[in-house]
Amino acid sequence: KAGVTQTPRYLIKTRGQQVTLSCSPISGHRSVSWYQQTPGQGLQFLFEYFSETQRNKGNFPGRFSGRQFSNSRSEMNVSTLELGDSALYLCASSLGETNTGELFFGEGSRLTVL
Amino acid sequence: SQQGEEDPQALSIQEGENATMNCSYKTSINNLQWYRQNSGRGLVHLILIRSNEREKHSGRLRVTLDTSKKSSSLLITASRAADTASYFCATAPGKSTFGDGTTLTVKP
């Protein structure tokens, strides 16, 4: 069974640009969560999707958005990039919606903003 | 605010020694999970303990849960250099809430 796949693994952008990151969950998983990890702020929750609906959202500005497609694949977008957006973005999938099971993480997308 | 808070922030031990890290949380939970993260990689699920369980074992891992103190501990016995990683706890409900992690260094 394939794991969670995140693309791209590495990318470099400049301030003001936008970026789209993709996450393919484990087959059969309907929930996808996104996290930002930086050395200074640790692991912070961005949002969670279940069956194409955003269920929870973290404390991030509106420049951060996401969506989930009918095949459960998810994308997140960051517009008007700032230097502080440089981070490892992690996606996790789980079988159900209600936080009762384990999360399966991808290897992350490392974004560098210059 | 984050629910799970791990301590210590950093722990350095010799190979073969045991490593203990702790997690505290604030609100009622259904379960608590521990994850490991090797540098720059994704997190890997280690073990889940339900709120009605007090102790759980998995290989060299032992997890305890004290719901009255809202705390959990992860014990890694007979540590190996390969155990060098960051360890996080997360609670459910609230899978969004990870702590800052404990960075474990196991010296060969």
Side-chain angles (χ1 to χ4, degrees):
Chain A
K1 202 174 193 182
V4 177
T5 303
Q6 290 189 246
T7 57
R9 289 291 314 281
Y10 303 91
L11 65 166
I12 300 173
K13 293 284 187 177
T14 56
R15 278 181 300 174
Q17 287 187 311
Q18 70 149 16
V19 67
T20 298
L21 308 178
S22 178
C23 173
S24 293
I26 290 173
S27 177
H29 285 194
R30 298 168 64 190
S31 176
V32 172
S33 315
W34 287 91
Y35 302 82
Q36 181 197 64
Q37 188 174 34
T38 59
Q41 297 295 320
L43 195 64
Q44 293 194 294
F45 170 73
L46 282 156
F47 20 67
E48 176 192 354
Y49 289 88
F50 181 82
S51 293
E52 302 178 66
T53 302
Q54 188 178 89
R55 297 295 187 175
N56 288 294
K57 190 177 191 303
N59 189 25
F60 278 81
R63 300 184 297 107
F64 292 80
S65 63
R67 58 179 175 167
Q68 187 180 33
F69 302 95
S70 58
N71 62 357
S72 294
R73 190 178 70 85
S74 178
E75 287 181 349
M76 67 162 283
N77 185 77
V78 188
S79 62
T80 321
L81 284 166
E82 301 176 359
L83 295 179
D85 297 332
S86 294
L88 179 66
Y89 289 88
L90 292 165
C91 163
S93 75
S94 61
L95 197 56
E97 174 188 5
T98 56
N99 309 320
T100 57
E102 69 180 274
L103 298 176
F104 295 82
F105 282 82
E107 292 293 343
S109 293
R110 183 165 294 283
L111 170 65
T112 302
V113 182
L114 302 175
Chain B
S1 63
Q2 290 174 329
Q3 164 93 302
E5 303 259 346
E6 298 90 352
D7 91 276
Q9 283 192 324
L11 182 59
S12 182
I13 59 174
Q14 294 293 135
E15 213 167 23
E17 294 181 335
N18 295 341
T20 300
M21 52 205 86
N22 305 294
C23 169
S24 59
Y25 58 92
K26 298 183 179 69
T27 62
S28 297
I29 62 171
N30 292 333
N31 67 64
L32 186 143
Q33 303 162 41
W34 285 91
Y35 291 81
R36 183 188 75 232
Q37 183 182 34
N38 291 93
S39 181
R41 309 288 298 274
L43 280 71
V44 175
H45 181 265
L46 293 176
I47 194 165
L48 180 153
I49 186 165
R50 302 189 192 286
S51 59
N52 61 353
E53 297 176 310
R54 291 297 167 259
E55 188 172 312
K56 199 162 181 180
H57 297 254
S58 176
R60 294 184 296 113
L61 305 179
R62 173 180 166 246
V63 169
T64 61
L65 179 64
D66 187 335
T67 52
S68 65
K69 294 181 180 176
K70 291 186 168 60
S71 68
S72 173
S73 68
L74 171 67
L75 167 69
I76 304 174
T77 60
S79 62
R80 305 166 182 168
D83 295 327
T84 294
S86 292
Y87 292 81
F88 295 85
C89 65
T91 57
K95 71 170 120 180
S96 59
T97 52
F98 284 86
D100 291 330
T102 292
T103 299
L104 172 66
T105 303
V106 181
K107 300 174 188 174

mmCIF file of all heavy atoms in Angstrom, chain A residues 45-89:
data_model
loop_
_atom_site.group_PDB
_atom_site.id
_atom_site.type_symbol
_atom_site.label_atom_id
_atom_site.label_comp_id
_atom_site.label_asym_id
_atom_site.label_seq_id
_atom_site.Cartn_x
_atom_site.Cartn_y
_atom_site.Cartn_z
ATOM 1 N N PHE A 45 -0.532 23.430 13.136
ATOM 2 C CA PHE A 45 -1.640 22.942 12.329
ATOM 3 C C PHE A 45 -2.145 24.027 11.397
ATOM 4 O O PHE A 45 -2.367 25.168 11.813
ATOM 5 C CB PHE A 45 -2.756 22.480 13.268
ATOM 6 C CG PHE A 45 -4.049 22.164 12.610
ATOM 7 C CD1 PHE A 45 -4.194 21.012 11.851
ATOM 8 C CD2 PHE A 45 -5.144 22.999 12.755
ATOM 9 C CE1 PHE A 45 -5.407 20.696 11.253
ATOM 10 C CE2 PHE A 45 -6.360 22.703 12.166
ATOM 11 C CZ PHE A 45 -6.488 21.549 11.416
ATOM 12 N N LEU A 46 -2.322 23.662 10.145
ATOM 13 C CA LEU A 46 -2.856 24.590 9.155
ATOM 14 C C LEU A 46 -4.337 24.364 8.933
ATOM 15 O O LEU A 46 -5.153 25.233 9.175
ATOM 16 C CB LEU A 46 -2.105 24.442 7.828
ATOM 17 C CG LEU A 46 -0.737 25.101 7.776
ATOM 18 C CD1 LEU A 46 0.132 24.433 6.719
ATOM 19 C CD2 LEU A 46 -0.884 26.582 7.476
ATOM 20 N N PHE A 47 -4.695 23.209 8.410
ATOM 21 C CA PHE A 47 -6.103 22.867 8.216
ATOM 22 C C PHE A 47 -6.272 21.372 8.020
ATOM 23 O O PHE A 47 -5.318 20.640 7.802
ATOM 24 C CB PHE A 47 -6.761 23.609 7.042
ATOM 25 C CG PHE A 47 -5.829 24.168 6.014
ATOM 26 C CD1 PHE A 47 -5.077 23.339 5.206
ATOM 27 C CD2 PHE A 47 -5.713 25.541 5.855
ATOM 28 C CE1 PHE A 47 -4.222 23.857 4.260
ATOM 29 C CE2 PHE A 47 -4.862 26.079 4.908
ATOM 30 C CZ PHE A 47 -4.112 25.235 4.103
ATOM 31 N N GLU A 48 -7.546 20.973 8.123
ATOM 32 C CA GLU A 48 -7.923 19.585 7.958
ATOM 33 C C GLU A 48 -9.119 19.508 7.025
ATOM 34 O O GLU A 48 -10.060 20.301 7.145
ATOM 35 C CB GLU A 48 -8.282 18.956 9.300
ATOM 36 C CG GLU A 48 -8.778 17.527 9.177
ATOM 37 C CD GLU A 48 -9.399 17.026 10.462
ATOM 38 O OE1 GLU A 48 -9.349 17.735 11.481
ATOM 39 O OE2 GLU A 48 -9.947 15.909 10.444
ATOM 40 N N TYR A 49 -9.064 18.542 6.125
ATOM 41 C CA TYR A 49 -10.160 18.320 5.205
ATOM 42 C C TYR A 49 -10.682 16.898 5.343
ATOM 43 O O TYR A 49 -9.915 15.961 5.592
ATOM 44 C CB TYR A 49 -9.705 18.552 3.756
ATOM 45 C CG TYR A 49 -9.466 19.994 3.455
ATOM 46 C CD1 TYR A 49 -8.223 20.571 3.698
ATOM 47 C CD2 TYR A 49 -10.489 20.802 2.968
ATOM 48 C CE1 TYR A 49 -8.006 21.919 3.445
ATOM 49 C CE2 TYR A 49 -10.278 22.143 2.721
ATOM 50 C CZ TYR A 49 -9.034 22.696 2.966
ATOM 51 O OH TYR A 49 -8.824 24.021 2.736
ATOM 52 N N PHE A 50 -11.973 16.776 5.176
ATOM 53 C CA PHE A 50 -12.606 15.458 5.163
ATOM 54 C C PHE A 50 -13.711 15.512 4.131
ATOM 55 O O PHE A 50 -14.579 16.380 4.186
ATOM 56 C CB PHE A 50 -13.169 15.097 6.535
ATOM 57 C CG PHE A 50 -13.803 13.746 6.586
ATOM 58 C CD1 PHE A 50 -13.028 12.609 6.759
ATOM 59 C CD2 PHE A 50 -15.178 13.599 6.460
ATOM 60 C CE1 PHE A 50 -13.609 11.357 6.810
ATOM 61 C CE2 PHE A 50 -15.766 12.350 6.504
ATOM 62 C CZ PHE A 50 -14.974 11.222 6.680
ATOM 63 N N SER A 51 -13.670 14.578 3.205
ATOM 64 C CA SER A 51 -14.685 14.533 2.145
ATOM 65 C C SER A 51 -14.912 15.899 1.516
ATOM 66 O O SER A 51 -16.048 16.383 1.406
ATOM 67 C CB SER A 51 -16.016 13.990 2.703
ATOM 68 O OG SER A 51 -15.871 12.646 3.067
ATOM 69 N N GLU A 52 -13.813 16.512 1.128
ATOM 70 C CA GLU A 52 -13.804 17.781 0.374
ATOM 71 C C GLU A 52 -14.240 18.990 1.197
ATOM 72 O O GLU A 52 -14.363 20.090 0.649
ATOM 73 C CB GLU A 52 -14.690 17.670 -0.882
ATOM 74 C CG GLU A 52 -14.269 16.551 -1.821
ATOM 75 C CD GLU A 52 -15.182 16.439 -3.034
ATOM 76 O OE1 GLU A 52 -15.201 17.365 -3.854
ATOM 77 O OE2 GLU A 52 -15.890 15.408 -3.143
ATOM 78 N N THR A 53 -14.458 18.803 2.484
ATOM 79 C CA THR A 53 -14.902 19.912 3.344
ATOM 80 C C THR A 53 -13.812 20.236 4.360
ATOM 81 O O THR A 53 -13.244 19.339 4.979
ATOM 82 C CB THR A 53 -16.202 19.542 4.082
ATOM 83 O OG1 THR A 53 -17.197 19.219 3.133
ATOM 84 C CG2 THR A 53 -16.674 20.701 4.955
ATOM 85 N N GLN A 54 -13.566 21.513 4.547
ATOM 86 C CA GLN A 54 -12.612 21.911 5.575
ATOM 87 C C GLN A 54 -13.270 21.772 6.935
ATOM 88 O O GLN A 54 -14.278 22.410 7.227
ATOM 89 C CB GLN A 54 -12.170 23.365 5.357
ATOM 90 C CG GLN A 54 -11.023 23.784 6.288
ATOM 91 C CD GLN A 54 -10.564 25.211 6.034
ATOM 92 O OE1 GLN A 54 -11.072 26.155 6.618
ATOM 93 N NE2 GLN A 54 -9.585 25.365 5.140
ATOM 94 N N ARG A 55 -12.663 20.952 7.801
ATOM 95 C CA ARG A 55 -13.265 20.675 9.105
ATOM 96 C C ARG A 55 -12.667 21.544 10.212
ATOM 97 O O ARG A 55 -13.340 21.903 11.171
ATOM 98 C CB ARG A 55 -13.054 19.204 9.469
ATOM 99 C CG ARG A 55 -13.725 18.249 8.519
ATOM 100 C CD ARG A 55 -15.236 18.367 8.569
ATOM 101 N NE ARG A 55 -15.894 17.342 7.775
ATOM 102 C CZ ARG A 55 -17.205 17.168 7.737
ATOM 103 N NH1 ARG A 55 -17.995 17.954 8.418
ATOM 104 N NH2 ARG A 55 -17.706 16.210 6.984
ATOM 105 N N ASN A 56 -11.391 21.802 10.102
ATOM 106 C CA ASN A 56 -10.718 22.619 11.117
ATOM 107 C C ASN A 56 -9.700 23.494 10.434
ATOM 108 O O ASN A 56 -9.165 23.151 9.373
ATOM 109 C CB ASN A 56 -9.989 21.741 12.148
ATOM 110 C CG ASN A 56 -10.941 21.026 13.068
ATOM 111 O OD1 ASN A 56 -11.639 21.649 13.849
ATOM 112 N ND2 ASN A 56 -10.975 19.711 12.971
ATOM 113 N N LYS A 57 -9.434 24.617 11.054
ATOM 114 C CA LYS A 57 -8.456 25.535 10.504
ATOM 115 C C LYS A 57 -7.600 26.078 11.631
ATOM 116 O O LYS A 57 -8.103 26.405 12.713
ATOM 117 C CB LYS A 57 -9.155 26.691 9.787
ATOM 118 C CG LYS A 57 -8.234 27.571 8.971
ATOM 119 C CD LYS A 57 -9.044 28.648 8.243
ATOM 120 C CE LYS A 57 -8.189 29.375 7.204
ATOM 121 N NZ LYS A 57 -6.989 29.996 7.759
ATOM 122 N N GLY A 58 -6.314 26.163 11.395
ATOM 123 C CA GLY A 58 -5.401 26.719 12.384
ATOM 124 C C GLY A 58 -5.346 28.222 12.282
ATOM 125 O O GLY A 58 -6.078 28.852 11.523
ATOM 126 N N ASN A 59 -4.453 28.791 13.061
ATOM 127 C CA ASN A 59 -4.364 30.239 13.167
ATOM 128 C C ASN A 59 -3.349 30.777 12.167
ATOM 129 O O ASN A 59 -2.262 31.235 12.550
ATOM 130 C CB ASN A 59 -3.987 30.620 14.600
ATOM 131 C CG ASN A 59 -4.097 32.100 14.831
ATOM 132 O OD1 ASN A 59 -4.856 32.785 14.148
ATOM 133 N ND2 ASN A 59 -3.322 32.613 15.771
ATOM 134 N N PHE A 60 -3.693 30.731 10.911
ATOM 135 C CA PHE A 60 -2.825 31.237 9.857
ATOM 136 C C PHE A 60 -3.584 32.283 9.041
ATOM 137 O O PHE A 60 -4.807 32.232 8.947
ATOM 138 C CB PHE A 60 -2.376 30.090 8.941
ATOM 139 C CG PHE A 60 -1.213 29.317 9.482
ATOM 140 C CD1 PHE A 60 -1.405 28.328 10.438
ATOM 141 C CD2 PHE A 60 0.077 29.588 9.049
ATOM 142 C CE1 PHE A 60 -0.331 27.618 10.946
ATOM 143 C CE2 PHE A 60 1.152 28.882 9.549
ATOM 144 C CZ PHE A 60 0.946 27.891 10.497
ATOM 145 N N PRO A 61 -2.838 33.219 8.436
ATOM 146 C CA PRO A 61 -3.529 34.259 7.645
ATOM 147 C C PRO A 61 -4.193 33.676 6.409
ATOM 148 O O PRO A 61 -3.917 32.548 6.006
ATOM 149 C CB PRO A 61 -2.394 35.221 7.262
ATOM 150 C CG PRO A 61 -1.142 34.444 7.426
ATOM 151 C CD PRO A 61 -1.379 33.445 8.492
ATOM 152 N N GLY A 62 -5.060 34.485 5.805
ATOM 153 C CA GLY A 62 -5.821 34.043 4.651
ATOM 154 C C GLY A 62 -4.971 33.721 3.431
ATOM 155 O O GLY A 62 -5.480 33.128 2.469
ATOM 156 N N ARG A 63 -3.689 34.089 3.479
ATOM 157 C CA ARG A 63 -2.804 33.747 2.362
ATOM 158 C C ARG A 63 -2.642 32.224 2.220
ATOM 159 O O ARG A 63 -2.242 31.722 1.181
ATOM 160 C CB ARG A 63 -1.408 34.359 2.561
ATOM 161 C CG ARG A 63 -1.375 35.858 2.669
ATOM 162 C CD ARG A 63 0.060 36.378 2.760
ATOM 163 N NE ARG A 63 0.775 35.934 3.939
ATOM 164 C CZ ARG A 63 1.752 35.005 3.926
ATOM 165 N NH1 ARG A 63 2.121 34.431 2.787
ATOM 166 N NH2 ARG A 63 2.382 34.679 5.041
ATOM 167 N N PHE A 64 -2.930 31.538 3.295
ATOM 168 C CA PHE A 64 -2.840 30.077 3.302
ATOM 169 C C PHE A 64 -4.225 29.499 3.034
ATOM 170 O O PHE A 64 -5.178 29.785 3.770
ATOM 171 C CB PHE A 64 -2.322 29.579 4.644
ATOM 172 C CG PHE A 64 -0.891 29.927 4.925
ATOM 173 C CD1 PHE A 64 -0.551 31.201 5.384
ATOM 174 C CD2 PHE A 64 0.119 28.995 4.729
ATOM 175 C CE1 PHE A 64 0.776 31.526 5.642
ATOM 176 C CE2 PHE A 64 1.442 29.315 4.988
ATOM 177 C CZ PHE A 64 1.775 30.579 5.442
ATOM 178 N N SER A 65 -4.320 28.709 2.015
ATOM 179 C CA SER A 65 -5.612 28.098 1.698
ATOM 180 C C SER A 65 -5.400 26.671 1.239
ATOM 181 O O SER A 65 -4.280 26.265 0.921
ATOM 182 C CB SER A 65 -6.326 28.902 0.608
ATOM 183 O OG SER A 65 -5.574 28.886 -0.590
ATOM 184 N N GLY A 66 -6.467 25.941 1.216
ATOM 185 C CA GLY A 66 -6.348 24.556 0.787
ATOM 186 C C GLY A 66 -7.645 24.077 0.184
ATOM 187 O O GLY A 66 -8.667 24.781 0.194
ATOM 188 N N ARG A 67 -7.579 22.886 -0.353
ATOM 189 C CA ARG A 67 -8.792 22.254 -0.849
ATOM 190 C C ARG A 67 -8.554 20.758 -0.941
ATOM 191 O O ARG A 67 -7.415 20.295 -0.947
ATOM 192 C CB ARG A 67 -9.201 22.811 -2.204
ATOM 193 C CG ARG A 67 -8.169 22.690 -3.302
ATOM 194 C CD ARG A 67 -8.705 23.250 -4.598
ATOM 195 N NE ARG A 67 -7.715 23.257 -5.658
ATOM 196 C CZ ARG A 67 -8.006 23.466 -6.938
ATOM 197 N NH1 ARG A 67 -9.241 23.683 -7.307
ATOM 198 N NH2 ARG A 67 -7.050 23.465 -7.847
ATOM 199 N N GLN A 68 -9.646 20.038 -1.025
ATOM 200 C CA GLN A 68 -9.562 18.592 -1.181
ATOM 201 C C GLN A 68 -10.475 18.196 -2.331
ATOM 202 O O GLN A 68 -11.595 18.690 -2.467
ATOM 203 C CB GLN A 68 -9.986 17.874 0.104
ATOM 204 C CG GLN A 68 -9.762 16.368 0.037
ATOM 205 C CD GLN A 68 -10.173 15.652 1.311
ATOM 206 O OE1 GLN A 68 -11.115 16.055 1.988
ATOM 207 N NE2 GLN A 68 -9.461 14.587 1.654
ATOM 208 N N PHE A 69 -9.988 17.286 -3.123
ATOM 209 C CA PHE A 69 -10.733 16.840 -4.294
ATOM 210 C C PHE A 69 -11.527 15.573 -3.972
ATOM 211 O O PHE A 69 -11.341 14.951 -2.915
ATOM 212 C CB PHE A 69 -9.758 16.604 -5.452
ATOM 213 C CG PHE A 69 -8.951 17.818 -5.803
ATOM 214 C CD1 PHE A 69 -7.683 17.998 -5.277
ATOM 215 C CD2 PHE A 69 -9.464 18.792 -6.646
ATOM 216 C CE1 PHE A 69 -6.933 19.131 -5.583
ATOM 217 C CE2 PHE A 69 -8.727 19.922 -6.955
ATOM 218 C CZ PHE A 69 -7.454 20.096 -6.427
ATOM 219 N N SER A 70 -12.368 15.180 -4.914
ATOM 220 C CA SER A 70 -13.241 14.025 -4.680
ATOM 221 C C SER A 70 -12.448 12.733 -4.508
ATOM 222 O O SER A 70 -12.943 11.778 -3.895
ATOM 223 C CB SER A 70 -14.252 13.885 -5.825
ATOM 224 O OG SER A 70 -13.569 13.743 -7.061
ATOM 225 N N ASN A 71 -11.226 12.690 -5.006
ATOM 226 C CA ASN A 71 -10.405 11.476 -4.824
ATOM 227 C C ASN A 71 -9.560 11.568 -3.550
ATOM 228 O O ASN A 71 -8.641 10.769 -3.361
ATOM 229 C CB ASN A 71 -9.508 11.249 -6.035
ATOM 230 C CG ASN A 71 -8.524 12.390 -6.259
ATOM 231 O OD1 ASN A 71 -8.547 13.385 -5.530
ATOM 232 N ND2 ASN A 71 -7.685 12.259 -7.269
ATOM 233 N N SER A 72 -9.863 12.537 -2.698
ATOM 234 C CA SER A 72 -9.205 12.787 -1.410
ATOM 235 C C SER A 72 -7.850 13.460 -1.521
ATOM 236 O O SER A 72 -7.291 13.863 -0.505
ATOM 237 C CB SER A 72 -9.063 11.505 -0.556
ATOM 238 O OG SER A 72 -10.330 11.040 -0.177
ATOM 239 N N ARG A 73 -7.314 13.591 -2.708
ATOM 240 C CA ARG A 73 -6.072 14.351 -2.855
ATOM 241 C C ARG A 73 -6.307 15.782 -2.411
ATOM 242 O O ARG A 73 -7.417 16.321 -2.544
ATOM 243 C CB ARG A 73 -5.599 14.318 -4.305
ATOM 244 C CG ARG A 73 -4.187 14.864 -4.526
ATOM 245 C CD ARG A 73 -3.769 14.738 -5.995
ATOM 246 N NE ARG A 73 -4.495 15.653 -6.858
ATOM 247 C CZ ARG A 73 -4.142 16.918 -7.069
ATOM 248 N NH1 ARG A 73 -3.080 17.433 -6.447
ATOM 249 N NH2 ARG A 73 -4.846 17.680 -7.898
ATOM 250 N N SER A 74 -5.260 16.369 -1.865
ATOM 251 C CA SER A 74 -5.412 17.718 -1.332
ATOM 252 C C SER A 74 -4.290 18.613 -1.843
ATOM 253 O O SER A 74 -3.191 18.138 -2.156
ATOM 254 C CB SER A 74 -5.400 17.690 0.196
ATOM 255 O OG SER A 74 -5.498 18.998 0.741
ATOM 256 N N GLU A 75 -4.596 19.853 -1.943
ATOM 257 C CA GLU A 75 -3.592 20.864 -2.282
ATOM 258 C C GLU A 75 -3.669 21.983 -1.266
ATOM 259 O O GLU A 75 -4.741 22.288 -0.731
ATOM 260 C CB GLU A 75 -3.860 21.454 -3.677
ATOM 261 C CG GLU A 75 -3.539 20.548 -4.829
ATOM 262 C CD GLU A 75 -3.799 21.212 -6.176
ATOM 263 O OE1 GLU A 75 -4.418 22.297 -6.206
ATOM 264 O OE2 GLU A 75 -3.382 20.622 -7.189
ATOM 265 N N MET A 76 -2.529 22.588 -1.005
ATOM 266 C CA MET A 76 -2.542 23.825 -0.239
ATOM 267 C C MET A 76 -1.801 24.888 -1.042
ATOM 268 O O MET A 76 -0.875 24.585 -1.814
ATOM 269 C CB MET A 76 -1.931 23.677 1.151
ATOM 270 C CG MET A 76 -0.465 23.392 1.215
ATOM 271 S SD MET A 76 0.218 23.749 2.856
ATOM 272 C CE MET A 76 0.327 25.523 2.823
ATOM 273 N N ASN A 77 -2.241 26.088 -0.889
ATOM 274 C CA ASN A 77 -1.695 27.206 -1.629
ATOM 275 C C ASN A 77 -1.286 28.313 -0.658
ATOM 276 O O ASN A 77 -1.995 28.587 0.317
ATOM 277 C CB ASN A 77 -2.742 27.740 -2.611
ATOM 278 C CG ASN A 77 -2.199 28.837 -3.492
ATOM 279 O OD1 ASN A 77 -1.481 28.580 -4.438
ATOM 280 N ND2 ASN A 77 -2.531 30.073 -3.180
ATOM 281 N N VAL A 78 -0.150 28.897 -0.945
ATOM 282 C CA VAL A 78 0.273 30.068 -0.179
ATOM 283 C C VAL A 78 0.524 31.184 -1.178
ATOM 284 O O VAL A 78 1.326 31.032 -2.114
ATOM 285 C CB VAL A 78 1.557 29.818 0.641
ATOM 286 C CG1 VAL A 78 1.830 31.006 1.560
ATOM 287 C CG2 VAL A 78 1.454 28.530 1.444
ATOM 288 N N SER A 79 -0.183 32.266 -1.004
ATOM 289 C CA SER A 79 -0.022 33.388 -1.923
ATOM 290 C C SER A 79 0.853 34.462 -1.279
ATOM 291 O O SER A 79 1.050 34.475 -0.057
ATOM 292 C CB SER A 79 -1.384 33.968 -2.288
ATOM 293 O OG SER A 79 -2.032 34.458 -1.119
ATOM 294 N N THR A 80 1.371 35.340 -2.111
ATOM 295 C CA THR A 80 2.182 36.459 -1.639
ATOM 296 C C THR A 80 3.191 35.996 -0.587
ATOM 297 O O THR A 80 3.161 36.408 0.573
ATOM 298 C CB THR A 80 1.297 37.582 -1.068
ATOM 299 O OG1 THR A 80 0.134 37.740 -1.854
ATOM 300 C CG2 THR A 80 2.064 38.888 -1.051
ATOM 301 N N LEU A 81 4.073 35.125 -1.011
ATOM 302 C CA LEU A 81 5.009 34.499 -0.079
ATOM 303 C C LEU A 81 5.861 35.512 0.666
ATOM 304 O O LEU A 81 6.285 36.537 0.120
ATOM 305 C CB LEU A 81 5.919 33.530 -0.833
ATOM 306 C CG LEU A 81 5.282 32.203 -1.235
ATOM 307 C CD1 LEU A 81 6.142 31.485 -2.259
ATOM 308 C CD2 LEU A 81 5.045 31.334 -0.016
ATOM 309 N N GLU A 82 6.089 35.190 1.930
ATOM 310 C CA GLU A 82 6.973 35.984 2.787
ATOM 311 C C GLU A 82 8.140 35.099 3.215
ATOM 312 O O GLU A 82 8.051 33.872 3.192
ATOM 313 C CB GLU A 82 6.201 36.478 4.013
ATOM 314 C CG GLU A 82 5.006 37.329 3.681
ATOM 315 C CD GLU A 82 4.201 37.720 4.915
ATOM 316 O OE1 GLU A 82 4.578 37.308 6.038
ATOM 317 O OE2 GLU A 82 3.193 38.441 4.748
ATOM 318 N N LEU A 83 9.235 35.760 3.636
ATOM 319 C CA LEU A 83 10.414 35.002 4.062
ATOM 320 C C LEU A 83 10.050 34.010 5.171
ATOM 321 O O LEU A 83 10.562 32.884 5.211
ATOM 322 C CB LEU A 83 11.508 35.955 4.546
ATOM 323 C CG LEU A 83 12.119 36.900 3.513
ATOM 324 C CD1 LEU A 83 13.170 37.788 4.146
ATOM 325 C CD2 LEU A 83 12.713 36.121 2.345
ATOM 326 N N GLY A 84 9.163 34.422 6.044
ATOM 327 C CA GLY A 84 8.776 33.587 7.169
ATOM 328 C C GLY A 84 7.966 32.360 6.796
ATOM 329 O O GLY A 84 7.707 31.510 7.647
ATOM 330 N N ASP A 85 7.601 32.246 5.531
ATOM 331 C CA ASP A 85 6.861 31.065 5.087
ATOM 332 C C ASP A 85 7.804 29.914 4.782
ATOM 333 O O ASP A 85 7.350 28.795 4.504
ATOM 334 C CB ASP A 85 6.036 31.391 3.837
ATOM 335 C CG ASP A 85 4.972 32.444 4.102
ATOM 336 O OD1 ASP A 85 4.505 32.539 5.265
ATOM 337 O OD2 ASP A 85 4.599 33.164 3.157
ATOM 338 N N SER A 86 9.105 30.180 4.822
ATOM 339 C CA SER A 86 10.070 29.099 4.624
ATOM 340 C C SER A 86 9.873 28.055 5.716
ATOM 341 O O SER A 86 9.958 28.374 6.908
ATOM 342 C CB SER A 86 11.498 29.641 4.677
ATOM 343 O OG SER A 86 11.751 30.504 3.594
ATOM 344 N N ALA A 87 9.623 26.827 5.313
ATOM 345 C CA ALA A 87 9.294 25.801 6.299
ATOM 346 C C ALA A 87 9.192 24.453 5.613
ATOM 347 O O ALA A 87 9.220 24.353 4.383
ATOM 348 C CB ALA A 87 7.951 26.116 6.978
ATOM 349 N N LEU A 88 9.048 23.440 6.442
ATOM 350 C CA LEU A 88 8.697 22.113 5.967
ATOM 351 C C LEU A 88 7.186 21.984 6.110
ATOM 352 O O LEU A 88 6.645 22.154 7.207
ATOM 353 C CB LEU A 88 9.409 21.045 6.797
ATOM 354 C CG LEU A 88 9.133 19.575 6.430
ATOM 355 C CD1 LEU A 88 9.697 19.257 5.043
ATOM 356 C CD2 LEU A 88 9.728 18.642 7.480
ATOM 357 N N TYR A 89 6.506 21.717 5.015
ATOM 358 C CA TYR A 89 5.055 21.567 5.051
ATOM 359 C C TYR A 89 4.737 20.077 4.996
ATOM 360 O O TYR A 89 5.092 19.383 4.042
ATOM 361 C CB TYR A 89 4.409 22.327 3.892
ATOM 362 C CG TYR A 89 4.510 23.823 4.104
ATOM 363 C CD1 TYR A 89 5.627 24.532 3.669
ATOM 364 C CD2 TYR A 89 3.513 24.514 4.787
ATOM 365 C CE1 TYR A 89 5.740 25.891 3.909
ATOM 366 C CE2 TYR A 89 3.617 25.870 5.025
ATOM 367 C CZ TYR A 89 4.741 26.557 4.588
ATOM 368 O OH TYR A 89 4.849 27.900 4.834
#
